[in-house]
Structures are given as C-alpha cells and as structure tokens.
mmCIF file of all heavy atoms in Angstrom:
data_model
loop_
_atom_site.group_PDB
_atom_site.id
_atom_site.type_symbol
_atom_site.label_atom_id
_atom_site.label_comp_id
_atom_site.label_asym_id
_atom_site.label_seq_id
_atom_site.Cartn_x
_atom_site.Cartn_y
_atom_site.Cartn_z
ATOM 1 N N MET M 1 0.295 18.812 -12.513
ATOM 2 C CA MET M 1 -0.445 17.655 -13.021
ATOM 3 C C MET M 1 -0.322 16.510 -12.004
ATOM 4 O O MET M 1 0.752 16.272 -11.452
ATOM 5 C CB MET M 1 0.187 17.268 -14.360
ATOM 6 C CG MET M 1 -0.184 15.909 -14.879
ATOM 7 S SD MET M 1 0.760 15.505 -16.365
ATOM 8 C CE MET M 1 2.238 14.822 -15.643
ATOM 9 N N ILE M 2 -1.432 15.825 -11.795
ATOM 10 C CA ILE M 2 -1.382 14.676 -10.888
ATOM 11 C C ILE M 2 -0.896 13.455 -11.665
ATOM 12 O O ILE M 2 -1.448 13.113 -12.699
ATOM 13 C CB ILE M 2 -2.771 14.388 -10.272
ATOM 14 C CG1 ILE M 2 -3.227 15.535 -9.383
ATOM 15 C CG2 ILE M 2 -2.739 13.077 -9.470
ATOM 16 C CD1 ILE M 2 -2.368 15.789 -8.156
ATOM 17 N N VAL M 3 0.146 12.828 -11.186
ATOM 18 C CA VAL M 3 0.681 11.626 -11.836
ATOM 19 C C VAL M 3 -0.003 10.393 -11.246
ATOM 20 O O VAL M 3 -0.521 9.542 -11.968
ATOM 21 C CB VAL M 3 2.211 11.533 -11.642
ATOM 22 C CG1 VAL M 3 2.730 10.205 -12.150
ATOM 23 C CG2 VAL M 3 2.895 12.688 -12.372
ATOM 24 N N CYS M 4 0.006 10.304 -9.926
ATOM 25 C CA CYS M 4 -0.617 9.155 -9.259
ATOM 26 C C CYS M 4 -1.929 9.603 -8.626
ATOM 27 O O CYS M 4 -1.930 10.271 -7.587
ATOM 28 C CB CYS M 4 0.335 8.603 -8.201
ATOM 29 S SG CYS M 4 -0.321 7.150 -7.368
ATOM 30 N N VAL M 5 -3.011 9.270 -9.293
ATOM 31 C CA VAL M 5 -4.341 9.694 -8.829
ATOM 32 C C VAL M 5 -4.694 9.002 -7.515
ATOM 33 O O VAL M 5 -5.241 9.616 -6.608
ATOM 34 C CB VAL M 5 -5.407 9.367 -9.904
ATOM 35 C CG1 VAL M 5 -6.785 9.786 -9.444
ATOM 36 C CG2 VAL M 5 -5.054 10.051 -11.209
ATOM 37 N N CYS M 6 -4.350 7.739 -7.414
ATOM 38 C CA CYS M 6 -4.700 6.971 -6.203
ATOM 39 C C CYS M 6 -4.124 7.605 -4.944
ATOM 40 O O CYS M 6 -4.766 7.625 -3.906
ATOM 41 C CB CYS M 6 -4.192 5.549 -6.315
ATOM 42 S SG CYS M 6 -4.915 4.624 -7.657
ATOM 43 N N ASN M 7 -2.897 8.090 -5.052
ATOM 44 C CA ASN M 7 -2.229 8.624 -3.867
ATOM 45 C C ASN M 7 -2.017 10.139 -3.933
ATOM 46 O O ASN M 7 -1.308 10.698 -3.099
ATOM 47 C CB ASN M 7 -0.895 7.908 -3.661
ATOM 48 C CG ASN M 7 -1.114 6.440 -3.387
ATOM 49 O OD1 ASN M 7 -1.821 6.074 -2.461
ATOM 50 N ND2 ASN M 7 -0.551 5.589 -4.216
ATOM 51 N N ASN M 8 -2.641 10.759 -4.921
ATOM 52 C CA ASN M 8 -2.585 12.215 -5.065
ATOM 53 C C ASN M 8 -1.150 12.757 -5.070
ATOM 54 O O ASN M 8 -0.799 13.623 -4.273
ATOM 55 C CB ASN M 8 -3.413 12.861 -3.939
ATOM 56 C CG ASN M 8 -3.672 14.327 -4.202
ATOM 57 O OD1 ASN M 8 -3.729 14.749 -5.354
ATOM 58 N ND2 ASN M 8 -3.804 15.099 -3.140
ATOM 59 N N VAL M 9 -0.345 12.226 -5.967
ATOM 60 C CA VAL M 9 1.048 12.690 -6.079
ATOM 61 C C VAL M 9 1.204 13.405 -7.418
ATOM 62 O O VAL M 9 0.902 12.849 -8.469
ATOM 63 C CB VAL M 9 2.041 11.508 -5.989
ATOM 64 C CG1 VAL M 9 3.473 12.015 -6.092
ATOM 65 C CG2 VAL M 9 1.845 10.757 -4.683
ATOM 66 N N SER M 10 1.682 14.642 -7.353
ATOM 67 C CA SER M 10 1.834 15.454 -8.560
ATOM 68 C C SER M 10 3.224 15.298 -9.160
ATOM 69 O O SER M 10 4.151 14.821 -8.505
ATOM 70 C CB SER M 10 1.616 16.925 -8.206
ATOM 71 O OG SER M 10 2.599 17.317 -7.274
ATOM 72 N N ASP M 11 3.381 15.727 -10.419
ATOM 73 C CA ASP M 11 4.705 15.695 -11.042
ATOM 74 C C ASP M 11 5.659 16.605 -10.277
ATOM 75 O O ASP M 11 6.847 16.344 -10.170
ATOM 76 C CB ASP M 11 4.633 16.060 -12.526
ATOM 77 C CG ASP M 11 4.152 17.474 -12.766
ATOM 78 O OD1 ASP M 11 3.303 17.944 -11.984
ATOM 79 O OD2 ASP M 11 4.614 18.106 -13.730
ATOM 80 N N ARG M 12 5.112 17.668 -9.705
ATOM 81 C CA ARG M 12 5.944 18.586 -8.929
ATOM 82 C C ARG M 12 6.568 17.874 -7.721
ATOM 83 O O ARG M 12 7.752 18.061 -7.421
ATOM 84 C CB ARG M 12 5.080 19.756 -8.467
ATOM 85 C CG ARG M 12 5.869 21.028 -8.392
ATOM 86 C CD ARG M 12 4.941 22.181 -8.215
ATOM 87 N NE ARG M 12 5.371 22.926 -7.036
ATOM 88 C CZ ARG M 12 4.637 23.828 -6.434
ATOM 89 N NH1 ARG M 12 3.426 24.088 -6.869
ATOM 90 N NH2 ARG M 12 5.098 24.465 -5.395
ATOM 91 N N LYS M 13 5.754 17.072 -7.055
ATOM 92 C CA LYS M 13 6.261 16.321 -5.895
ATOM 93 C C LYS M 13 7.347 15.354 -6.323
ATOM 94 O O LYS M 13 8.346 15.161 -5.628
ATOM 95 C CB LYS M 13 5.121 15.543 -5.241
ATOM 96 C CG LYS M 13 4.555 16.210 -4.021
ATOM 97 C CD LYS M 13 3.685 15.222 -3.251
ATOM 98 C CE LYS M 13 2.725 15.944 -2.334
ATOM 99 N NZ LYS M 13 1.646 15.052 -1.890
ATOM 100 N N ILE M 14 7.146 14.730 -7.501
ATOM 101 C CA ILE M 14 8.135 13.771 -7.993
ATOM 102 C C ILE M 14 9.433 14.499 -8.349
ATOM 103 O O ILE M 14 10.526 14.036 -8.029
ATOM 104 C CB ILE M 14 7.584 12.983 -9.199
ATOM 105 C CG1 ILE M 14 6.429 12.096 -8.717
ATOM 106 C CG2 ILE M 14 8.677 12.146 -9.855
ATOM 107 C CD1 ILE M 14 5.746 11.309 -9.800
ATOM 108 N N ARG M 15 9.313 15.668 -8.983
ATOM 109 C CA ARG M 15 10.515 16.439 -9.316
ATOM 110 C C ARG M 15 11.282 16.840 -8.054
ATOM 111 O O ARG M 15 12.507 16.802 -8.013
ATOM 112 C CB ARG M 15 10.141 17.703 -10.108
ATOM 113 C CG ARG M 15 9.788 17.404 -11.544
ATOM 114 C CD ARG M 15 9.291 18.642 -12.261
ATOM 115 N NE ARG M 15 8.313 18.266 -13.266
ATOM 116 C CZ ARG M 15 8.623 17.781 -14.455
ATOM 117 N NH1 ARG M 15 9.894 17.643 -14.782
ATOM 118 N NH2 ARG M 15 7.697 17.433 -15.306
ATOM 119 N N GLN M 16 10.512 17.237 -7.050
ATOM 120 C CA GLN M 16 11.118 17.615 -5.772
ATOM 121 C C GLN M 16 11.874 16.419 -5.176
ATOM 122 O O GLN M 16 13.001 16.553 -4.715
ATOM 123 C CB GLN M 16 10.000 18.014 -4.825
ATOM 124 C CG GLN M 16 10.354 19.108 -3.866
ATOM 125 C CD GLN M 16 9.096 19.609 -3.162
ATOM 126 O OE1 GLN M 16 8.098 18.890 -3.042
ATOM 127 N NE2 GLN M 16 9.138 20.830 -2.685
ATOM 128 N N ALA M 17 11.221 15.245 -5.231
ATOM 129 C CA ALA M 17 11.843 14.033 -4.698
ATOM 130 C C ALA M 17 13.110 13.704 -5.476
ATOM 131 O O ALA M 17 14.122 13.299 -4.903
ATOM 132 C CB ALA M 17 10.854 12.875 -4.770
ATOM 133 N N ALA M 18 13.068 13.911 -6.794
ATOM 134 C CA ALA M 18 14.249 13.639 -7.624
ATOM 135 C C ALA M 18 15.384 14.577 -7.238
ATOM 136 O O ALA M 18 16.547 14.166 -7.173
ATOM 137 C CB ALA M 18 13.896 13.795 -9.098
ATOM 138 N N ASP M 19 15.042 15.830 -6.951
ATOM 139 C CA ASP M 19 16.064 16.791 -6.505
ATOM 140 C C ASP M 19 16.686 16.349 -5.186
ATOM 141 O O ASP M 19 17.843 16.641 -4.901
ATOM 142 C CB ASP M 19 15.444 18.185 -6.303
ATOM 143 C CG ASP M 19 15.249 18.909 -7.614
ATOM 144 O OD1 ASP M 19 15.832 18.466 -8.625
ATOM 145 O OD2 ASP M 19 14.503 19.912 -7.624
ATOM 146 N N GLU M 20 15.906 15.651 -4.389
ATOM 147 C CA GLU M 20 16.411 15.185 -3.093
ATOM 148 C C GLU M 20 17.141 13.857 -3.198
ATOM 149 O O GLU M 20 17.526 13.272 -2.196
ATOM 150 C CB GLU M 20 15.247 15.090 -2.103
ATOM 151 C CG GLU M 20 14.711 16.454 -1.697
ATOM 152 C CD GLU M 20 13.350 16.389 -1.013
ATOM 153 O OE1 GLU M 20 12.875 15.281 -0.716
ATOM 154 O OE2 GLU M 20 12.773 17.464 -0.789
ATOM 155 N N GLY M 21 17.281 13.369 -4.428
ATOM 156 C CA GLY M 21 18.120 12.192 -4.641
ATOM 157 C C GLY M 21 17.391 10.906 -4.974
ATOM 158 O O GLY M 21 18.023 9.858 -5.116
ATOM 159 N N MET M 22 16.068 10.964 -5.104
ATOM 160 C CA MET M 22 15.353 9.727 -5.465
ATOM 161 C C MET M 22 15.428 9.539 -6.973
ATOM 162 O O MET M 22 15.069 10.435 -7.735
ATOM 163 C CB MET M 22 13.902 9.808 -5.012
ATOM 164 C CG MET M 22 13.807 9.735 -3.505
ATOM 165 S SD MET M 22 12.164 9.985 -2.916
ATOM 166 C CE MET M 22 12.525 10.902 -1.438
ATOM 167 N N THR M 23 15.924 8.393 -7.381
ATOM 168 C CA THR M 23 16.168 8.214 -8.807
ATOM 169 C C THR M 23 15.358 7.081 -9.437
ATOM 170 O O THR M 23 15.341 6.941 -10.647
ATOM 171 C CB THR M 23 17.663 7.924 -9.056
ATOM 172 O OG1 THR M 23 18.033 6.821 -8.229
ATOM 173 C CG2 THR M 23 18.529 9.119 -8.717
ATOM 174 N N THR M 24 14.721 6.279 -8.632
ATOM 175 C CA THR M 24 13.993 5.139 -9.199
ATOM 176 C C THR M 24 12.535 5.124 -8.750
ATOM 177 O O THR M 24 12.170 5.778 -7.764
ATOM 178 C CB THR M 24 14.632 3.809 -8.738
ATOM 179 O OG1 THR M 24 14.461 3.708 -7.319
ATOM 180 C CG2 THR M 24 16.100 3.727 -9.091
ATOM 181 N N LEU M 25 11.768 4.342 -9.472
ATOM 182 C CA LEU M 25 10.357 4.185 -9.113
ATOM 183 C C LEU M 25 10.231 3.558 -7.716
ATOM 184 O O LEU M 25 9.341 3.885 -6.950
ATOM 185 C CB LEU M 25 9.663 3.302 -10.162
ATOM 186 C CG LEU M 25 8.149 3.270 -10.109
ATOM 187 C CD1 LEU M 25 7.545 4.653 -10.263
ATOM 188 C CD2 LEU M 25 7.593 2.336 -11.165
ATOM 189 N N ALA M 26 11.164 2.680 -7.400
ATOM 190 C CA ALA M 26 11.147 2.047 -6.072
ATOM 191 C C ALA M 26 11.317 3.096 -4.972
ATOM 192 O O ALA M 26 10.655 3.018 -3.929
ATOM 193 C CB ALA M 26 12.256 0.999 -5.988
ATOM 194 N N ASP M 27 12.186 4.083 -5.225
ATOM 195 C CA ASP M 27 12.366 5.174 -4.255
ATOM 196 C C ASP M 27 11.059 5.941 -4.078
ATOM 197 O O ASP M 27 10.650 6.240 -2.953
ATOM 198 C CB ASP M 27 13.425 6.170 -4.752
ATOM 199 C CG ASP M 27 14.831 5.606 -4.696
ATOM 200 O OD1 ASP M 27 15.062 4.672 -3.908
ATOM 201 O OD2 ASP M 27 15.685 6.105 -5.444
ATOM 202 N N LEU M 28 10.432 6.257 -5.216
ATOM 203 C CA LEU M 28 9.183 7.029 -5.155
ATOM 204 C C LEU M 28 8.101 6.253 -4.437
ATOM 205 O O LEU M 28 7.318 6.797 -3.666
ATOM 206 C CB LEU M 28 8.695 7.364 -6.563
ATOM 207 C CG LEU M 28 9.553 8.295 -7.399
ATOM 208 C CD1 LEU M 28 8.898 8.515 -8.752
ATOM 209 C CD2 LEU M 28 9.760 9.633 -6.712
ATOM 210 N N ARG M 29 8.088 4.964 -4.707
ATOM 211 C CA ARG M 29 7.095 4.099 -4.097
ATOM 212 C C ARG M 29 7.265 4.094 -2.567
ATOM 213 O O ARG M 29 6.310 4.202 -1.817
ATOM 214 C CB ARG M 29 7.283 2.688 -4.650
ATOM 215 C CG ARG M 29 6.227 1.709 -4.241
ATOM 216 C CD ARG M 29 6.651 0.323 -4.616
ATOM 217 N NE ARG M 29 6.796 0.164 -6.056
ATOM 218 C CZ ARG M 29 6.027 -0.620 -6.787
ATOM 219 N NH1 ARG M 29 5.087 -1.312 -6.231
ATOM 220 N NH2 ARG M 29 6.223 -0.731 -8.064
ATOM 221 N N LYS M 30 8.518 3.997 -2.164
ATOM 222 C CA LYS M 30 8.811 3.926 -0.739
ATOM 223 C C LYS M 30 8.472 5.235 -0.019
ATOM 224 O O LYS M 30 7.896 5.239 1.062
ATOM 225 C CB LYS M 30 10.295 3.606 -0.550
ATOM 226 C CG LYS M 30 10.518 2.840 0.723
ATOM 227 C CD LYS M 30 11.936 2.545 1.124
ATOM 228 C CE LYS M 30 12.939 2.170 0.145
ATOM 229 N NZ LYS M 30 14.271 1.942 0.616
ATOM 230 N N HIS M 31 8.822 6.356 -0.665
ATOM 231 C CA HIS M 31 8.703 7.629 0.032
ATOM 232 C C HIS M 31 7.409 8.381 -0.250
ATOM 233 O O HIS M 31 6.941 9.145 0.588
ATOM 234 C CB HIS M 31 9.899 8.510 -0.291
ATOM 235 C CG HIS M 31 11.186 7.930 0.198
ATOM 236 N ND1 HIS M 31 11.591 8.020 1.508
ATOM 237 C CD2 HIS M 31 12.122 7.195 -0.430
ATOM 238 C CE1 HIS M 31 12.739 7.384 1.660
ATOM 239 N NE2 HIS M 31 13.083 6.869 0.484
ATOM 240 N N LEU M 32 6.834 8.205 -1.440
ATOM 241 C CA LEU M 32 5.633 8.968 -1.768
ATOM 242 C C LEU M 32 4.417 8.073 -2.011
ATOM 243 O O LEU M 32 3.337 8.577 -2.287
ATOM 244 C CB LEU M 32 5.879 9.811 -3.032
ATOM 245 C CG LEU M 32 6.976 10.872 -2.976
ATOM 246 C CD1 LEU M 32 7.125 11.512 -4.349
ATOM 247 C CD2 LEU M 32 6.669 11.942 -1.946
ATOM 248 N N ASP M 33 4.611 6.771 -1.972
ATOM 249 C CA ASP M 33 3.527 5.812 -2.241
ATOM 250 C C ASP M 33 3.074 5.812 -3.701
ATOM 251 O O ASP M 33 1.995 5.315 -4.015
ATOM 252 C CB ASP M 33 2.307 6.073 -1.352
ATOM 253 C CG ASP M 33 2.520 5.529 0.059
ATOM 254 O OD1 ASP M 33 3.436 4.708 0.230
ATOM 255 O OD2 ASP M 33 1.784 5.943 0.962
ATOM 256 N N VAL M 34 3.905 6.380 -4.590
ATOM 257 C CA VAL M 34 3.546 6.392 -6.015
ATOM 258 C C VAL M 34 3.441 4.954 -6.532
ATOM 259 O O VAL M 34 4.343 4.144 -6.321
ATOM 260 C CB VAL M 34 4.624 7.146 -6.838
ATOM 261 C CG1 VAL M 34 4.385 6.980 -8.329
ATOM 262 C CG2 VAL M 34 4.641 8.603 -6.457
ATOM 263 N N GLY M 35 2.336 4.650 -7.176
ATOM 264 C CA GLY M 35 2.198 3.347 -7.822
ATOM 265 C C GLY M 35 1.918 2.184 -6.890
ATOM 266 O O GLY M 35 2.083 1.036 -7.272
ATOM 267 N N THR M 36 1.477 2.469 -5.696
ATOM 268 C CA THR M 36 1.245 1.369 -4.754
ATOM 269 C C THR M 36 -0.190 0.850 -4.794
ATOM 270 O O THR M 36 -0.521 -0.092 -4.093
ATOM 271 C CB THR M 36 1.567 1.803 -3.308
ATOM 272 O OG1 THR M 36 0.820 2.968 -3.020
ATOM 273 C CG2 THR M 36 3.047 2.063 -3.132
ATOM 274 N N CYS M 37 -1.032 1.490 -5.622
ATOM 275 C CA CYS M 37 -2.423 1.050 -5.653
ATOM 276 C C CYS M 37 -2.746 0.357 -6.983
ATOM 277 O O CYS M 37 -2.504 -0.834 -7.132
ATOM 278 C CB CYS M 37 -3.325 2.247 -5.383
ATOM 279 S SG CYS M 37 -5.009 1.801 -5.036
ATOM 280 N N CYS M 38 -3.252 1.107 -7.978
ATOM 281 C CA CYS M 38 -3.644 0.458 -9.239
ATOM 282 C C CYS M 38 -2.467 0.227 -10.172
ATOM 283 O O CYS M 38 -2.516 -0.627 -11.045
ATOM 284 C CB CYS M 38 -4.708 1.282 -9.945
ATOM 285 S SG CYS M 38 -4.064 2.798 -10.673
ATOM 286 N N GLY M 39 -1.423 1.034 -10.026
ATOM 287 C CA GLY M 39 -0.223 0.853 -10.853
ATOM 288 C C GLY M 39 -0.272 1.522 -12.215
ATOM 289 O O GLY M 39 0.678 1.441 -12.988
ATOM 290 N N LYS M 40 -1.356 2.235 -12.510
ATOM 291 C CA LYS M 40 -1.480 2.858 -13.834
ATOM 292 C C LYS M 40 -0.505 4.016 -14.037
ATOM 293 O O LYS M 40 -0.265 4.445 -15.158
ATOM 294 C CB LYS M 40 -2.908 3.374 -14.034
ATOM 295 C CG LYS M 40 -3.877 2.270 -14.348
ATOM 296 C CD LYS M 40 -5.233 2.841 -14.669
ATOM 297 C CE LYS M 40 -6.224 1.714 -14.881
ATOM 298 N NZ LYS M 40 -7.604 2.149 -14.659
ATOM 299 N N CYS M 41 0.015 4.540 -12.954
ATOM 300 C CA CYS M 41 0.884 5.717 -13.047
ATOM 301 C C CYS M 41 2.343 5.359 -13.277
ATOM 302 O O CYS M 41 3.169 6.254 -13.446
ATOM 303 C CB CYS M 41 0.763 6.528 -11.762
ATOM 304 S SG CYS M 41 1.152 5.548 -10.303
ATOM 305 N N HIS M 42 2.695 4.082 -13.280
ATOM 306 C CA HIS M 42 4.104 3.679 -13.388
ATOM 307 C C HIS M 42 4.838 4.338 -14.538
ATOM 308 O O HIS M 42 5.894 4.934 -14.344
ATOM 309 C CB HIS M 42 4.227 2.155 -13.524
ATOM 310 C CG HIS M 42 3.995 1.440 -12.228
ATOM 311 N ND1 HIS M 42 4.238 0.112 -12.061
ATOM 312 C CD2 HIS M 42 3.537 1.891 -11.036
ATOM 313 C CE1 HIS M 42 3.942 -0.247 -10.817
ATOM 314 N NE2 HIS M 42 3.505 0.817 -10.185
ATOM 315 N N SER M 43 4.276 4.250 -15.742
ATOM 316 C CA SER M 43 5.015 4.762 -16.895
ATOM 317 C C SER M 43 5.123 6.281 -16.834
ATOM 318 O O SER M 43 6.149 6.850 -17.192
ATOM 319 C CB SER M 43 4.396 4.296 -18.208
ATOM 320 O OG SER M 43 3.110 4.808 -18.319
ATOM 321 N N CYS M 44 4.076 6.941 -16.358
ATOM 322 C CA CYS M 44 4.119 8.398 -16.265
ATOM 323 C C CYS M 44 5.141 8.836 -15.213
ATOM 324 O O CYS M 44 5.915 9.770 -15.437
ATOM 325 C CB CYS M 44 2.735 8.936 -15.929
ATOM 326 S SG CYS M 44 2.641 10.711 -16.006
ATOM 327 N N ALA M 45 5.169 8.140 -14.090
ATOM 328 C CA ALA M 45 6.131 8.472 -13.031
ATOM 329 C C ALA M 45 7.557 8.274 -13.542
ATOM 330 O O ALA M 45 8.438 9.101 -13.291
ATOM 331 C CB ALA M 45 5.878 7.604 -11.801
ATOM 332 N N LYS M 46 7.773 7.199 -14.287
ATOM 333 C CA LYS M 46 9.109 6.942 -14.840
ATOM 334 C C LYS M 46 9.497 8.031 -15.824
ATOM 335 O O LYS M 46 10.645 8.462 -15.859
ATOM 336 C CB LYS M 46 9.124 5.592 -15.558
ATOM 337 C CG LYS M 46 9.330 4.424 -14.626
ATOM 338 C CD LYS M 46 9.553 3.175 -15.437
ATOM 339 C CE LYS M 46 9.410 1.939 -14.576
ATOM 340 N NZ LYS M 46 9.217 0.734 -15.371
ATOM 341 N N GLN M 47 8.528 8.460 -16.620
ATOM 342 C CA GLN M 47 8.768 9.523 -17.593
ATOM 343 C C GLN M 47 9.205 10.814 -16.881
ATOM 344 O O GLN M 47 10.149 11.475 -17.312
ATOM 345 C CB GLN M 47 7.487 9.748 -18.406
ATOM 346 C CG GLN M 47 7.559 10.870 -19.418
ATOM 347 C CD GLN M 47 8.533 10.570 -20.537
ATOM 348 O OE1 GLN M 47 8.684 9.416 -20.932
ATOM 349 N NE2 GLN M 47 9.207 11.590 -21.017
ATOM 350 N N VAL M 48 8.533 11.147 -15.790
ATOM 351 C CA VAL M 48 8.893 12.358 -15.045
ATOM 352 C C VAL M 48 10.314 12.235 -14.493
ATOM 353 O O VAL M 48 11.119 13.168 -14.581
ATOM 354 C CB VAL M 48 7.896 12.648 -13.902
ATOM 355 C CG1 VAL M 48 8.354 13.817 -13.048
ATOM 356 C CG2 VAL M 48 6.508 12.925 -14.457
ATOM 357 N N LEU M 49 10.645 11.058 -13.969
ATOM 358 C CA LEU M 49 12.005 10.834 -13.447
ATOM 359 C C LEU M 49 13.033 10.988 -14.563
ATOM 360 O O LEU M 49 14.088 11.596 -14.379
ATOM 361 C CB LEU M 49 12.126 9.423 -12.866
ATOM 362 C CG LEU M 49 11.614 9.196 -11.450
ATOM 363 C CD1 LEU M 49 11.770 7.735 -11.070
ATOM 364 C CD2 LEU M 49 12.326 10.085 -10.441
ATOM 365 N N ARG M 50 12.697 10.433 -15.731
ATOM 366 C CA ARG M 50 13.604 10.520 -16.883
ATOM 367 C C ARG M 50 13.841 11.984 -17.259
ATOM 368 O O ARG M 50 14.956 12.408 -17.490
ATOM 369 C CB ARG M 50 12.992 9.756 -18.061
ATOM 370 C CG ARG M 50 14.022 9.281 -19.056
ATOM 371 C CD ARG M 50 13.396 8.368 -20.111
ATOM 372 N NE ARG M 50 12.695 7.234 -19.533
ATOM 373 C CZ ARG M 50 11.475 6.819 -19.891
ATOM 374 N NH1 ARG M 50 10.804 7.460 -20.831
ATOM 375 N NH2 ARG M 50 10.927 5.778 -19.328
ATOM 376 N N GLU M 51 12.761 12.761 -17.310
ATOM 377 C CA GLU M 51 12.882 14.179 -17.647
ATOM 378 C C GLU M 51 13.760 14.900 -16.635
ATOM 379 O O GLU M 51 14.552 15.769 -17.001
ATOM 380 C CB GLU M 51 11.497 14.829 -17.668
ATOM 381 C CG GLU M 51 10.717 14.518 -18.920
ATOM 382 C CD GLU M 51 9.260 14.965 -18.810
ATOM 383 O OE1 GLU M 51 8.945 15.792 -17.920
ATOM 384 O OE2 GLU M 51 8.455 14.459 -19.598
ATOM 385 N N CYS M 52 13.628 14.533 -15.368
ATOM 386 C CA CYS M 52 14.449 15.162 -14.325
ATOM 387 C C CYS M 52 15.922 14.878 -14.575
ATOM 388 O O CYS M 52 16.763 15.753 -14.448
ATOM 389 C CB CYS M 52 14.074 14.641 -12.941
ATOM 390 S SG CYS M 52 12.494 15.224 -12.396
ATOM 391 N N ARG M 53 16.216 13.630 -14.927
ATOM 392 C CA ARG M 53 17.614 13.259 -15.192
ATOM 393 C C ARG M 53 18.161 14.028 -16.381
ATOM 394 O O ARG M 53 19.289 14.495 -16.357
ATOM 395 C CB ARG M 53 17.707 11.765 -15.488
ATOM 396 C CG ARG M 53 17.929 10.912 -14.261
ATOM 397 C CD ARG M 53 18.521 9.579 -14.627
ATOM 398 N NE ARG M 53 17.690 8.832 -15.536
ATOM 399 C CZ ARG M 53 16.722 7.983 -15.146
ATOM 400 N NH1 ARG M 53 16.492 7.794 -13.876
ATOM 401 N NH2 ARG M 53 15.999 7.343 -16.025
ATOM 402 N N GLU M 54 17.335 14.160 -17.415
ATOM 403 C CA GLU M 54 17.795 14.810 -18.645
ATOM 404 C C GLU M 54 18.018 16.304 -18.470
ATOM 405 O O GLU M 54 18.822 16.897 -19.173
ATOM 406 C CB GLU M 54 16.792 14.554 -19.783
ATOM 407 C CG GLU M 54 16.934 13.144 -20.328
ATOM 408 C CD GLU M 54 15.746 12.724 -21.179
ATOM 409 O OE1 GLU M 54 14.864 13.556 -21.467
ATOM 410 O OE2 GLU M 54 15.704 11.537 -21.548
ATOM 411 N N THR M 55 17.296 16.915 -17.556
ATOM 412 C CA THR M 55 17.437 18.362 -17.389
ATOM 413 C C THR M 55 18.506 18.720 -16.362
ATOM 414 O O THR M 55 18.693 19.881 -16.044
ATOM 415 C CB THR M 55 16.093 19.008 -16.980
ATOM 416 O OG1 THR M 55 15.605 18.339 -15.808
ATOM 417 C CG2 THR M 55 15.071 18.903 -18.072
ATOM 418 N N LYS M 56 19.180 17.709 -15.841
ATOM 419 C CA LYS M 56 20.238 18.004 -14.860
ATOM 420 C C LYS M 56 21.585 18.175 -15.518
ATOM 421 O O LYS M 56 21.839 17.643 -16.558
ATOM 422 C CB LYS M 56 20.311 16.889 -13.835
ATOM 423 C CG LYS M 56 19.359 17.205 -12.701
ATOM 424 C CD LYS M 56 19.518 16.238 -11.552
ATOM 425 C CE LYS M 56 18.435 16.519 -10.523
ATOM 426 N NZ LYS M 56 18.315 15.460 -9.559
HETATM 427 FE FE1 FES A 101 -0.791 5.517 -9.037
HETATM 428 FE FE2 FES A 101 -3.100 4.219 -9.059
HETATM 429 S S1 FES A 101 -2.573 6.022 -10.131
HETATM 430 S S2 FES A 101 -1.305 3.677 -8.063
#
C-alpha cells in the first residue's frame, strides 16, 4: 500500500526503514521524504511506525 502518494513511499518501505532503526516521522521525512509535500500521509505513516514498534 502506498502511504505517501506525493513521494511514492509504501508501507513496506516504511517497515524496512523501521527495521533499520528509524523510529520517528522526522527520521522518515529525512530519509524517505515521507510527508514533505502535502502532509496528508502523516497520520498513516505514524500508524505504520506504531505497528512496527508493537510487533517487535
Ligand atoms: Fe505524503 Fe503528500 S501524501 S506528503
């Protein structure tokens, strides 16, 4: 599923980034450009990060 349409970032990419140690939206923004355009994906991106934390 695409989380950030503006920058074409999927939930899979976010999960991968979380596995590599990115834990915050700021990290995702810096490394994957998530949420740097319209910002509509913020809550969804945070949700994916939360799920990653919970399944660890
Ligand atoms: Fe992520 Fe627009 S959908 S910045």
